[in-house]
Amino acid sequence: MNTILDSTQENNIKYFDGSTDLSHKDVLSVSRNLTDICYPNGNEEQKGVCILVDRCSSYIATILAAWKAGLFVVPLNTASPIQKNIEIINKIKPAVVIVDDINEASFDFPTVTKSELFSEQTSKNELTNFRPLRPSDIAYVIFTSGSTGEPKGVVISCESFKSYIDWTARNFSEYSDLKRLLLTSELTFDITMGDIAFALAFGTDIGVAIQNRNIPSILALIMRFEIDILYSVPTTHLTLASFSQQKRGADLSSLRLILSGGDRFPWQLVRDYKKLAPKAAFYNVYGPTEVTINCFSVRLDNRLELSVERASVPIGYCFDSLDHVLLDENSQPATKGELCVTGPQMMLGYHGDAELSESVFVTDTRIECITRKLYRTGDIGYYDNGLVYLEGRVDGLIKIRGYRIHPDEVSKTLDSIEEVDVSAVVNFGKQSDAALKAFIKLKHGSGLTVEDIEKFLREKLPDYMIPVQYELVKDFPLSQSGKIDKNSLAKRL
Amino acid sequence: MSLTNKVIEVVSSSLKIDKEKLNEKSGLGDVVKWDSLNHAGLVVDLENHFDVGFGFDELDKIITIEAIVESLEEKGVGA
């Protein structure tokens, strides 16, 4: 059995990126090669693969091939600092790391290049029965920024991912005839898994935007391949819509289904798309990585009247397969409070961190006699006319370009610079234009410049975590408890 | 003024980056503020400033000052 791929449209999916086209045949061949490498002695305990290759169609085909071979997947980003990737690889202890170039980095684990893996059937066997992928096996591990600043690996089971595929098949059945979707988000972000789930549900072809930060090139790809599904973070949507309004000859009319997830956005985006892509339905989808991609969704293009009463967009309704509750400060069900979710899409836990895994669940007091766990999203929600809206976080996490980050993680990196005495990083801007500002107090006599500091950060952190403003300060305002008063710093912005 | 310097002027004013931080090798992702959010606006500013239209097939190429200059030269824009 293969929990993820059985009874899906996997055989019909094609993979493209403008230069390399792949099909089911390639996936099958890669699965055989992966089986030779990872399970040389037949069925064994489940193993994992880390994928560290540049964005391309092969990246996605490799994910599908790994599942076919009964492996779990850890997607990595070649644009991230190598140290961060090595840290993750060392934690996962994969059966194999897949890379573009074997000379780029050395790992303590077997490494194979993408071209070796995709070369014409190096495997001698004609295997068609692969290691089974059981419901309780792992589907993927996605690393997100933790509240302590350490990256944490969210472990999602095959059963959970399958539940998400099934929801996709039920919820979007009227879009089953759509042909091509385009991956624009980071491949390490679980929007990618959401796109793959859509393709598995309906046999949709998967395109990969190689330059996902070059929005004009995304527009060109949508036009060239007549893309009909686009699931992106709001910053991509906002920039794409704005550019398409200004660029002569821009045409988004092929779009039939637009999904926005990962952050809030203004109602104006829905209005803009209504003009740019009149045939498209626009959905807002919401969910922490810990609850397998999404757990709430709502169609918005036919609900524009809601914008008259509320400036913010709703996250909508909980999936029919899941259950939710808002808990107040005393952990009691309320009409406003922390959004908690339960059901088959709950993560297995954080990789190698039982304590942290335990801390994000709370006992559901609505039922007695048994202990049912609720996942605490950290988002504060409230109801209005049956729809759920969000209003801030219970912790200090913020979102930049769809990534959850904690400003303290940046400040911790700054503090690791020898000549930095102490630093504080605060967030400014709202919703889709959130950005960071770093306040730094240097050690006496240090000649360090802002340019030096920024260069150091670029070597250590991904670019969405790099502050856009810096200020060297002599002293910090302190709160009554003697800690740096970040509220007071934020007021200076 | 050379075309490269003219392009640097437009990039500098569109992205609010000091001209001194830019050279012909600078491009999307290499310079702070030249990111996905601002790049699209830059393409529009370049089209308006030089009164040209970039083809959809070259939108994945014009991501460095050097490549932008090359494309403008092909369109007959001179120094």
PDB file of all heavy atoms in Angstrom, chain A residues 211 213-217 219-220 223 235 239 243 246-250 454 458, chain B residues 21 28-29 32 35-37 39-40 43-44 47 53-56 59-60 63:
ATOM      1  N   GLN A 211      12.508  31.302 -11.168  1.00  0.00           N
ATOM      2  CA  GLN A 211      12.807  32.583 -10.511  1.00  0.00           C
ATOM      3  C   GLN A 211      11.563  33.040  -9.754  1.00  0.00           C
ATOM      4  O   GLN A 211      10.833  33.915 -10.210  1.00  0.00           O
ATOM      5  CB  GLN A 211      13.179  33.637 -11.548  1.00  0.00           C
ATOM      6  CG  GLN A 211      14.460  33.365 -12.284  1.00  0.00           C
ATOM      7  CD  GLN A 211      14.759  34.491 -13.283  1.00  0.00           C
ATOM      8  OE1 GLN A 211      14.299  35.615 -13.174  1.00  0.00           O
ATOM      9  NE2 GLN A 211      15.570  34.173 -14.269  1.00  0.00           N
ATOM     10  N   ARG A 213      11.219  34.820  -7.247  1.00  0.00           N
ATOM     11  CA  ARG A 213      11.219  36.183  -6.702  1.00  0.00           C
ATOM     12  C   ARG A 213      11.113  37.230  -7.800  1.00  0.00           C
ATOM     13  O   ARG A 213      11.068  38.419  -7.526  1.00  0.00           O
ATOM     14  CB  ARG A 213      12.495  36.420  -5.897  1.00  0.00           C
ATOM     15  CG  ARG A 213      12.448  35.577  -4.649  1.00  0.00           C
ATOM     16  CD  ARG A 213      13.681  35.699  -3.841  1.00  0.00           C
ATOM     17  NE  ARG A 213      13.681  34.640  -2.857  1.00  0.00           N
ATOM     18  CZ  ARG A 213      14.590  34.506  -1.932  1.00  0.00           C
ATOM     19  NH1 ARG A 213      15.568  35.359  -1.863  1.00  0.00           N
ATOM     20  NH2 ARG A 213      14.521  33.518  -1.072  1.00  0.00           N
ATOM     21  N   ASN A 214      11.145  36.770  -9.035  1.00  0.00           N
ATOM     22  CA  ASN A 214      11.036  37.680 -10.164  1.00  0.00           C
ATOM     23  C   ASN A 214       9.584  37.645 -10.634  1.00  0.00           C
ATOM     24  O   ASN A 214       9.195  36.823 -11.450  1.00  0.00           O
ATOM     25  CB  ASN A 214      12.008  37.212 -11.262  1.00  0.00           C
ATOM     26  CG  ASN A 214      11.957  38.091 -12.491  1.00  0.00           C
ATOM     27  OD1 ASN A 214      11.114  38.975 -12.598  1.00  0.00           O
ATOM     28  ND2 ASN A 214      12.863  37.836 -13.419  1.00  0.00           N
ATOM     29  N   ILE A 215       8.777  38.548 -10.064  1.00  0.00           N
ATOM     30  CA  ILE A 215       7.332  38.515 -10.328  1.00  0.00           C
ATOM     31  C   ILE A 215       7.028  38.730 -11.817  1.00  0.00           C
ATOM     32  O   ILE A 215       6.158  38.057 -12.363  1.00  0.00           O
ATOM     33  CB  ILE A 215       6.587  39.541  -9.440  1.00  0.00           C
ATOM     34  CG1 ILE A 215       6.950  39.322  -7.957  1.00  0.00           C
ATOM     35  CG2 ILE A 215       5.076  39.457  -9.644  1.00  0.00           C
ATOM     36  CD1 ILE A 215       6.519  38.039  -7.346  1.00  0.00           C
ATOM     37  N   PRO A 216       7.723  39.659 -12.511  1.00  0.00           N
ATOM     38  CA  PRO A 216       7.465  39.779 -13.945  1.00  0.00           C
ATOM     39  C   PRO A 216       7.632  38.445 -14.686  1.00  0.00           C
ATOM     40  O   PRO A 216       6.842  38.120 -15.573  1.00  0.00           O
ATOM     41  CB  PRO A 216       8.504  40.811 -14.404  1.00  0.00           C
ATOM     42  CG  PRO A 216       8.699  41.680 -13.203  1.00  0.00           C
ATOM     43  CD  PRO A 216       8.629  40.731 -12.045  1.00  0.00           C
ATOM     44  N   SER A 217       8.626  37.641 -14.289  1.00  0.00           N
ATOM     45  CA  SER A 217       8.821  36.359 -14.982  1.00  0.00           C
ATOM     46  C   SER A 217       7.702  35.382 -14.625  1.00  0.00           C
ATOM     47  O   SER A 217       7.360  34.506 -15.426  1.00  0.00           O
ATOM     48  CB  SER A 217      10.198  35.764 -14.670  1.00  0.00           C
ATOM     49  OG  SER A 217      10.189  35.114 -13.434  1.00  0.00           O
ATOM     50  N   LEU A 219       4.563  36.303 -14.230  1.00  0.00           N
ATOM     51  CA  LEU A 219       3.497  36.712 -15.156  1.00  0.00           C
ATOM     52  C   LEU A 219       3.729  36.078 -16.538  1.00  0.00           C
ATOM     53  O   LEU A 219       2.804  35.533 -17.147  1.00  0.00           O
ATOM     54  CB  LEU A 219       3.451  38.240 -15.269  1.00  0.00           C
ATOM     55  CG  LEU A 219       2.582  38.796 -16.402  1.00  0.00           C
ATOM     56  CD1 LEU A 219       1.109  38.495 -16.153  1.00  0.00           C
ATOM     57  CD2 LEU A 219       2.787  40.295 -16.575  1.00  0.00           C
ATOM     58  N   ALA A 220       4.991  36.140 -16.994  1.00  0.00           N
ATOM     59  CA  ALA A 220       5.310  35.588 -18.316  1.00  0.00           C
ATOM     60  C   ALA A 220       5.014  34.084 -18.363  1.00  0.00           C
ATOM     61  O   ALA A 220       4.489  33.580 -19.357  1.00  0.00           O
ATOM     62  CB  ALA A 220       6.772  35.861 -18.651  1.00  0.00           C
ATOM     63  N   MET A 223       1.279  33.367 -18.606  1.00  0.00           N
ATOM     64  CA  MET A 223       0.778  33.582 -19.962  1.00  0.00           C
ATOM     65  C   MET A 223       1.251  32.478 -20.913  1.00  0.00           C
ATOM     66  O   MET A 223       0.479  31.943 -21.699  1.00  0.00           O
ATOM     67  CB  MET A 223       1.223  34.963 -20.462  1.00  0.00           C
ATOM     68  CG  MET A 223       0.513  36.085 -19.707  1.00  0.00           C
ATOM     69  SD  MET A 223       1.219  37.716 -20.029  1.00  0.00           S
ATOM     70  CE  MET A 223       0.930  37.899 -21.777  1.00  0.00           C
ATOM     71  N   THR A 235       2.177  38.430  -0.596  1.00  0.00           N
ATOM     72  CA  THR A 235       3.135  39.371  -1.190  1.00  0.00           C
ATOM     73  C   THR A 235       3.313  39.089  -2.689  1.00  0.00           C
ATOM     74  O   THR A 235       3.391  40.015  -3.488  1.00  0.00           O
ATOM     75  CB  THR A 235       4.514  39.304  -0.509  1.00  0.00           C
ATOM     76  OG1 THR A 235       4.878  37.957  -0.376  1.00  0.00           O
ATOM     77  CG2 THR A 235       4.511  39.988   0.828  1.00  0.00           C
ATOM     78  N   THR A 239       2.086  41.828  -5.557  1.00  0.00           N
ATOM     79  CA  THR A 239       3.036  42.356  -6.532  1.00  0.00           C
ATOM     80  C   THR A 239       2.634  41.960  -7.950  1.00  0.00           C
ATOM     81  O   THR A 239       2.715  42.760  -8.877  1.00  0.00           O
ATOM     82  CB  THR A 239       4.462  41.832  -6.222  1.00  0.00           C
ATOM     83  OG1 THR A 239       4.685  41.971  -4.824  1.00  0.00           O
ATOM     84  CG2 THR A 239       5.518  42.607  -6.959  1.00  0.00           C
ATOM     85  N   PHE A 243       1.753  44.630 -10.785  1.00  0.00           N
ATOM     86  CA  PHE A 243       2.561  44.649 -12.011  1.00  0.00           C
ATOM     87  C   PHE A 243       1.677  44.424 -13.245  1.00  0.00           C
ATOM     88  O   PHE A 243       1.823  45.102 -14.265  1.00  0.00           O
ATOM     89  CB  PHE A 243       3.659  43.581 -11.931  1.00  0.00           C
ATOM     90  CG  PHE A 243       4.567  43.562 -13.134  1.00  0.00           C
ATOM     91  CD1 PHE A 243       5.448  44.599 -13.376  1.00  0.00           C
ATOM     92  CD2 PHE A 243       4.534  42.500 -14.033  1.00  0.00           C
ATOM     93  CE1 PHE A 243       6.279  44.592 -14.490  1.00  0.00           C
ATOM     94  CE2 PHE A 243       5.359  42.489 -15.147  1.00  0.00           C
ATOM     95  CZ  PHE A 243       6.234  43.543 -15.375  1.00  0.00           C
ATOM     96  N   GLN A 246      -0.037  47.380 -14.539  1.00  0.00           N
ATOM     97  CA  GLN A 246       0.792  48.411 -15.161  1.00  0.00           C
ATOM     98  C   GLN A 246       1.466  47.965 -16.454  1.00  0.00           C
ATOM     99  O   GLN A 246       1.857  48.801 -17.264  1.00  0.00           O
ATOM    100  CB  GLN A 246       1.869  48.856 -14.169  1.00  0.00           C
ATOM    101  CG  GLN A 246       1.280  49.498 -12.925  1.00  0.00           C
ATOM    102  CD  GLN A 246       2.368  49.814 -11.921  1.00  0.00           C
ATOM    103  OE1 GLN A 246       3.123  50.741 -12.100  1.00  0.00           O
ATOM    104  NE2 GLN A 246       2.448  49.012 -10.867  1.00  0.00           N
ATOM    105  N   LYS A 247       1.619  46.664 -16.628  1.00  0.00           N
ATOM    106  CA  LYS A 247       2.384  46.159 -17.773  1.00  0.00           C
ATOM    107  C   LYS A 247       1.467  45.996 -18.983  1.00  0.00           C
ATOM    108  O   LYS A 247       0.488  45.242 -18.929  1.00  0.00           O
ATOM    109  CB  LYS A 247       3.019  44.812 -17.389  1.00  0.00           C
ATOM    110  CG  LYS A 247       3.682  44.054 -18.510  1.00  0.00           C
ATOM    111  CD  LYS A 247       5.019  44.625 -18.853  1.00  0.00           C
ATOM    112  CE  LYS A 247       5.625  43.903 -20.045  1.00  0.00           C
ATOM    113  NZ  LYS A 247       6.650  44.706 -20.724  1.00  0.00           N
ATOM    114  N   ARG A 248       1.805  46.675 -20.058  1.00  0.00           N
ATOM    115  CA  ARG A 248       1.009  46.582 -21.280  1.00  0.00           C
ATOM    116  C   ARG A 248       1.015  45.138 -21.796  1.00  0.00           C
ATOM    117  O   ARG A 248       2.063  44.496 -21.831  1.00  0.00           O
ATOM    118  CB  ARG A 248       1.589  47.506 -22.347  1.00  0.00           C
ATOM    119  CG  ARG A 248       0.589  48.556 -22.837  1.00  0.00           C
ATOM    120  CD  ARG A 248       1.254  49.564 -23.741  1.00  0.00           C
ATOM    121  NE  ARG A 248       2.189  50.423 -23.008  1.00  0.00           N
ATOM    122  CZ  ARG A 248       3.351  50.857 -23.490  1.00  0.00           C
ATOM    123  NH1 ARG A 248       3.751  50.491 -24.681  1.00  0.00           N
ATOM    124  NH2 ARG A 248       4.125  51.647 -22.772  1.00  0.00           N
ATOM    125  N   GLY A 249      -0.146  44.645 -22.157  1.00  0.00           N
ATOM    126  CA  GLY A 249      -0.228  43.298 -22.732  1.00  0.00           C
ATOM    127  C   GLY A 249      -0.308  42.189 -21.691  1.00  0.00           C
ATOM    128  O   GLY A 249      -0.417  41.016 -22.046  1.00  0.00           O
ATOM    129  N   ALA A 250      -0.246  42.551 -20.407  1.00  0.00           N
ATOM    130  CA  ALA A 250      -0.325  41.528 -19.353  1.00  0.00           C
ATOM    131  C   ALA A 250      -1.698  40.858 -19.398  1.00  0.00           C
ATOM    132  O   ALA A 250      -2.710  41.542 -19.585  1.00  0.00           O
ATOM    133  CB  ALA A 250      -0.103  42.166 -17.990  1.00  0.00           C
ATOM    134  N   GLU A 454      25.539  43.840   8.312  1.00  0.00           N
ATOM    135  CA  GLU A 454      24.611  43.258   7.340  1.00  0.00           C
ATOM    136  C   GLU A 454      25.278  42.098   6.576  1.00  0.00           C
ATOM    137  O   GLU A 454      24.660  41.063   6.330  1.00  0.00           O
ATOM    138  CB  GLU A 454      24.160  44.341   6.369  1.00  0.00           C
ATOM    139  CG  GLU A 454      22.998  43.868   5.521  1.00  0.00           C
ATOM    140  CD  GLU A 454      22.641  44.879   4.454  1.00  0.00           C
ATOM    141  OE1 GLU A 454      22.508  46.075   4.781  1.00  0.00           O
ATOM    142  OE2 GLU A 454      22.529  44.452   3.298  1.00  0.00           O
ATOM    143  N   ARG A 458      23.972  38.223   6.378  1.00  0.00           N
ATOM    144  CA  ARG A 458      23.678  37.559   5.100  1.00  0.00           C
ATOM    145  C   ARG A 458      24.336  36.186   5.002  1.00  0.00           C
ATOM    146  O   ARG A 458      23.848  35.307   4.293  1.00  0.00           O
ATOM    147  CB  ARG A 458      24.116  38.418   3.920  1.00  0.00           C
ATOM    148  CG  ARG A 458      23.195  39.567   3.712  1.00  0.00           C
ATOM    149  CD  ARG A 458      23.272  40.233   2.379  1.00  0.00           C
ATOM    150  NE  ARG A 458      22.131  41.133   2.294  1.00  0.00           N
ATOM    151  CZ  ARG A 458      20.939  40.784   1.858  1.00  0.00           C
ATOM    152  NH1 ARG A 458      20.711  39.578   1.412  1.00  0.00           N
ATOM    153  NH2 ARG A 458      19.943  41.647   1.855  1.00  0.00           N
TER     154      ARG A 458
ATOM    155  N   LYS B  21      26.291  52.057  -4.344  1.00  0.00           N
ATOM    156  CA  LYS B  21      26.193  50.624  -4.037  1.00  0.00           C
ATOM    157  C   LYS B  21      25.872  49.794  -5.279  1.00  0.00           C
ATOM    158  O   LYS B  21      25.708  48.585  -5.197  1.00  0.00           O
ATOM    159  CB  LYS B  21      25.104  50.394  -2.989  1.00  0.00           C
ATOM    160  CG  LYS B  21      25.486  50.877  -1.614  1.00  0.00           C
ATOM    161  CD  LYS B  21      24.472  50.453  -0.592  1.00  0.00           C
ATOM    162  CE  LYS B  21      24.908  50.928   0.782  1.00  0.00           C
ATOM    163  NZ  LYS B  21      23.861  50.747   1.778  1.00  0.00           N
ATOM    164  N   LEU B  28      18.817  41.593  -9.018  1.00  0.00           N
ATOM    165  CA  LEU B  28      17.768  41.122  -8.119  1.00  0.00           C
ATOM    166  C   LEU B  28      18.339  40.121  -7.105  1.00  0.00           C
ATOM    167  O   LEU B  28      18.964  39.148  -7.494  1.00  0.00           O
ATOM    168  CB  LEU B  28      16.665  40.451  -8.962  1.00  0.00           C
ATOM    169  CG  LEU B  28      15.547  39.699  -8.241  1.00  0.00           C
ATOM    170  CD1 LEU B  28      14.713  40.634  -7.383  1.00  0.00           C
ATOM    171  CD2 LEU B  28      14.638  38.997  -9.247  1.00  0.00           C
ATOM    172  N   GLY B  29      18.103  40.399  -5.834  1.00  0.00           N
ATOM    173  CA  GLY B  29      18.539  39.472  -4.794  1.00  0.00           C
ATOM    174  C   GLY B  29      19.942  39.733  -4.269  1.00  0.00           C
ATOM    175  O   GLY B  29      20.304  39.264  -3.189  1.00  0.00           O
ATOM    176  N   VAL B  32      20.323  44.732  -1.013  1.00  0.00           N
ATOM    177  CA  VAL B  32      19.159  44.919  -0.138  1.00  0.00           C
ATOM    178  C   VAL B  32      18.222  45.897  -0.856  1.00  0.00           C
ATOM    179  O   VAL B  32      18.669  46.834  -1.494  1.00  0.00           O
ATOM    180  CB  VAL B  32      19.595  45.555   1.198  1.00  0.00           C
ATOM    181  CG1 VAL B  32      18.427  45.566   2.189  1.00  0.00           C
ATOM    182  CG2 VAL B  32      20.749  44.816   1.792  1.00  0.00           C
ATOM    183  N   ASP B  35      14.488  43.493  -4.208  1.00  0.00           N
ATOM    184  CA  ASP B  35      13.896  42.201  -3.894  1.00  0.00           C
ATOM    185  C   ASP B  35      12.650  41.994  -4.748  1.00  0.00           C
ATOM    186  O   ASP B  35      12.326  42.806  -5.617  1.00  0.00           O
ATOM    187  CB  ASP B  35      13.578  42.105  -2.398  1.00  0.00           C
ATOM    188  CG  ASP B  35      12.622  43.201  -1.949  1.00  0.00           C
ATOM    189  OD1 ASP B  35      11.945  43.801  -2.800  1.00  0.00           O
ATOM    190  OD2 ASP B  35      12.551  43.459  -0.747  1.00  0.00           O
ATOM    191  N   SER B  36      11.957  40.886  -4.464  1.00  0.00           N
ATOM    192  CA  SER B  36      10.808  40.532  -5.303  1.00  0.00           C
ATOM    193  C   SER B  36       9.737  41.614  -5.282  1.00  0.00           C
ATOM    194  O   SER B  36       9.045  41.827  -6.272  1.00  0.00           O
ATOM    195  CB  SER B  36      10.231  39.198  -4.846  1.00  0.00           C
ATOM    196  OG  SER B  36       9.891  39.255  -3.493  1.00  0.00           O
ATOM    197  N   LEU B  37       9.600  42.290  -4.137  1.00  0.00           N
ATOM    198  CA  LEU B  37       8.560  43.309  -4.038  1.00  0.00           C
ATOM    199  C   LEU B  37       8.879  44.494  -4.935  1.00  0.00           C
ATOM    200  O   LEU B  37       8.007  45.064  -5.574  1.00  0.00           O
ATOM    201  CB  LEU B  37       8.420  43.801  -2.587  1.00  0.00           C
ATOM    202  CG  LEU B  37       7.988  42.777  -1.558  1.00  0.00           C
ATOM    203  CD1 LEU B  37       7.845  43.435  -0.199  1.00  0.00           C
ATOM    204  CD2 LEU B  37       6.662  42.157  -1.964  1.00  0.00           C
ATOM    205  N   HIS B  39      11.290  44.666  -7.465  1.00  0.00           N
ATOM    206  CA  HIS B  39      11.764  44.408  -8.824  1.00  0.00           C
ATOM    207  C   HIS B  39      10.678  44.694  -9.869  1.00  0.00           C
ATOM    208  O   HIS B  39      10.945  45.291 -10.919  1.00  0.00           O
ATOM    209  CB  HIS B  39      12.263  42.972  -8.961  1.00  0.00           C
ATOM    210  CG  HIS B  39      12.732  42.635 -10.337  1.00  0.00           C
ATOM    211  ND1 HIS B  39      13.880  43.157 -10.873  1.00  0.00           N
ATOM    212  CD2 HIS B  39      12.173  41.868 -11.313  1.00  0.00           C
ATOM    213  CE1 HIS B  39      14.020  42.720 -12.113  1.00  0.00           C
ATOM    214  NE2 HIS B  39      13.006  41.934 -12.396  1.00  0.00           N
ATOM    215  N   ALA B  40       9.433  44.277  -9.548  1.00  0.00           N
ATOM    216  CA  ALA B  40       8.346  44.472 -10.514  1.00  0.00           C
ATOM    217  C   ALA B  40       8.140  45.967 -10.778  1.00  0.00           C
ATOM    218  O   ALA B  40       7.953  46.383 -11.928  1.00  0.00           O
ATOM    219  CB  ALA B  40       7.067  43.828  -9.987  1.00  0.00           C
ATOM    220  N   VAL B  43      10.819  47.330 -13.114  1.00  0.00           N
ATOM    221  CA  VAL B  43      10.602  47.027 -14.544  1.00  0.00           C
ATOM    222  C   VAL B  43       9.654  48.072 -15.151  1.00  0.00           C
ATOM    223  O   VAL B  43       9.893  48.602 -16.238  1.00  0.00           O
ATOM    224  CB  VAL B  43      10.043  45.590 -14.723  1.00  0.00           C
ATOM    225  CG1 VAL B  43       9.639  45.336 -16.165  1.00  0.00           C
ATOM    226  CG2 VAL B  43      11.086  44.567 -14.277  1.00  0.00           C
ATOM    227  N   VAL B  44       8.595  48.421 -14.398  1.00  0.00           N
ATOM    228  CA  VAL B  44       7.642  49.431 -14.878  1.00  0.00           C
ATOM    229  C   VAL B  44       8.334  50.795 -14.992  1.00  0.00           C
ATOM    230  O   VAL B  44       8.182  51.499 -16.001  1.00  0.00           O
ATOM    231  CB  VAL B  44       6.427  49.520 -13.912  1.00  0.00           C
ATOM    232  CG1 VAL B  44       5.522  50.679 -14.303  1.00  0.00           C
ATOM    233  CG2 VAL B  44       5.659  48.212 -13.918  1.00  0.00           C
ATOM    234  N   GLU B  47      10.545  50.887 -18.047  1.00  0.00           N
ATOM    235  CA  GLU B  47       9.750  51.013 -19.288  1.00  0.00           C
ATOM    236  C   GLU B  47       9.299  52.459 -19.478  1.00  0.00           C
ATOM    237  O   GLU B  47       9.377  53.009 -20.577  1.00  0.00           O
ATOM    238  CB  GLU B  47       8.531  50.090 -19.229  1.00  0.00           C
ATOM    239  CG  GLU B  47       8.887  48.627 -19.427  1.00  0.00           C
ATOM    240  CD  GLU B  47       7.640  47.747 -19.627  1.00  0.00           C
ATOM    241  OE1 GLU B  47       6.540  48.177 -19.232  1.00  0.00           O
ATOM    242  OE2 GLU B  47       7.785  46.634 -20.168  1.00  0.00           O
ATOM    243  N   GLY B  53       9.035  48.851 -24.181  1.00  0.00           N
ATOM    244  CA  GLY B  53       8.279  47.761 -23.569  1.00  0.00           C
ATOM    245  C   GLY B  53       9.146  46.509 -23.592  1.00  0.00           C
ATOM    246  O   GLY B  53       9.621  46.118 -24.658  1.00  0.00           O
ATOM    247  N   PHE B  54       9.389  45.932 -22.425  1.00  0.00           N
ATOM    248  CA  PHE B  54      10.169  44.684 -22.415  1.00  0.00           C
ATOM    249  C   PHE B  54       9.254  43.540 -22.854  1.00  0.00           C
ATOM    250  O   PHE B  54       8.104  43.468 -22.446  1.00  0.00           O
ATOM    251  CB  PHE B  54      10.712  44.389 -21.002  1.00  0.00           C
ATOM    252  CG  PHE B  54      11.745  45.365 -20.543  1.00  0.00           C
ATOM    253  CD1 PHE B  54      11.462  46.266 -19.521  1.00  0.00           C
ATOM    254  CD2 PHE B  54      13.004  45.402 -21.128  1.00  0.00           C
ATOM    255  CE1 PHE B  54      12.420  47.187 -19.095  1.00  0.00           C
ATOM    256  CE2 PHE B  54      13.967  46.312 -20.711  1.00  0.00           C
ATOM    257  CZ  PHE B  54      13.668  47.210 -19.685  1.00  0.00           C
ATOM    258  N   GLY B  55       9.789  42.642 -23.659  1.00  0.00           N
ATOM    259  CA  GLY B  55       8.999  41.493 -24.113  1.00  0.00           C
ATOM    260  C   GLY B  55       8.806  40.501 -22.970  1.00  0.00           C
ATOM    261  O   GLY B  55       9.648  40.396 -22.082  1.00  0.00           O
ATOM    262  N   PHE B  56       7.682  39.762 -22.997  1.00  0.00           N
ATOM    263  CA  PHE B  56       7.423  38.791 -21.931  1.00  0.00           C
ATOM    264  C   PHE B  56       8.492  37.700 -21.900  1.00  0.00           C
ATOM    265  O   PHE B  56       8.762  37.130 -20.860  1.00  0.00           O
ATOM    266  CB  PHE B  56       6.024  38.191 -22.088  1.00  0.00           C
ATOM    267  CG  PHE B  56       4.948  39.167 -21.719  1.00  0.00           C
ATOM    268  CD1 PHE B  56       4.282  39.891 -22.689  1.00  0.00           C
ATOM    269  CD2 PHE B  56       4.633  39.399 -20.387  1.00  0.00           C
ATOM    270  CE1 PHE B  56       3.307  40.820 -22.352  1.00  0.00           C
ATOM    271  CE2 PHE B  56       3.667  40.322 -20.036  1.00  0.00           C
ATOM    272  CZ  PHE B  56       3.004  41.036 -21.016  1.00  0.00           C
ATOM    273  N   LEU B  59      11.539  38.784 -19.619  1.00  0.00           N
ATOM    274  CA  LEU B  59      11.340  39.200 -18.226  1.00  0.00           C
ATOM    275  C   LEU B  59      12.142  38.348 -17.237  1.00  0.00           C
ATOM    276  O   LEU B  59      12.403  38.757 -16.120  1.00  0.00           O
ATOM    277  CB  LEU B  59       9.852  39.163 -17.870  1.00  0.00           C
ATOM    278  CG  LEU B  59       8.990  40.216 -18.587  1.00  0.00           C
ATOM    279  CD1 LEU B  59       7.523  40.053 -18.220  1.00  0.00           C
ATOM    280  CD2 LEU B  59       9.452  41.635 -18.256  1.00  0.00           C
ATOM    281  N   ASP B  60      12.528  37.139 -17.671  1.00  0.00           N
ATOM    282  CA  ASP B  60      13.355  36.315 -16.777  1.00  0.00           C
ATOM    283  C   ASP B  60      14.843  36.613 -16.952  1.00  0.00           C
ATOM    284  O   ASP B  60      15.671  36.083 -16.224  1.00  0.00           O
ATOM    285  CB  ASP B  60      13.081  34.819 -17.005  1.00  0.00           C
ATOM    286  CG  ASP B  60      13.365  34.386 -18.439  1.00  0.00           C
ATOM    287  OD1 ASP B  60      13.481  35.271 -19.310  1.00  0.00           O
ATOM    288  OD2 ASP B  60      13.468  33.174 -18.678  1.00  0.00           O
ATOM    289  N   ILE B  63      17.424  40.908 -15.073  1.00  0.00           N
ATOM    290  CA  ILE B  63      17.471  40.941 -13.613  1.00  0.00           C
ATOM    291  C   ILE B  63      18.800  41.485 -13.088  1.00  0.00           C
ATOM    292  O   ILE B  63      19.049  41.464 -11.888  1.00  0.00           O
ATOM    293  CB  ILE B  63      17.174  39.537 -13.007  1.00  0.00           C
ATOM    294  CG1 ILE B  63      18.036  38.467 -13.666  1.00  0.00           C
ATOM    295  CG2 ILE B  63      15.712  39.191 -13.138  1.00  0.00           C
ATOM    296  CD1 ILE B  63      17.918  37.103 -13.019  1.00  0.00           C
TER     297      ILE B  63
END
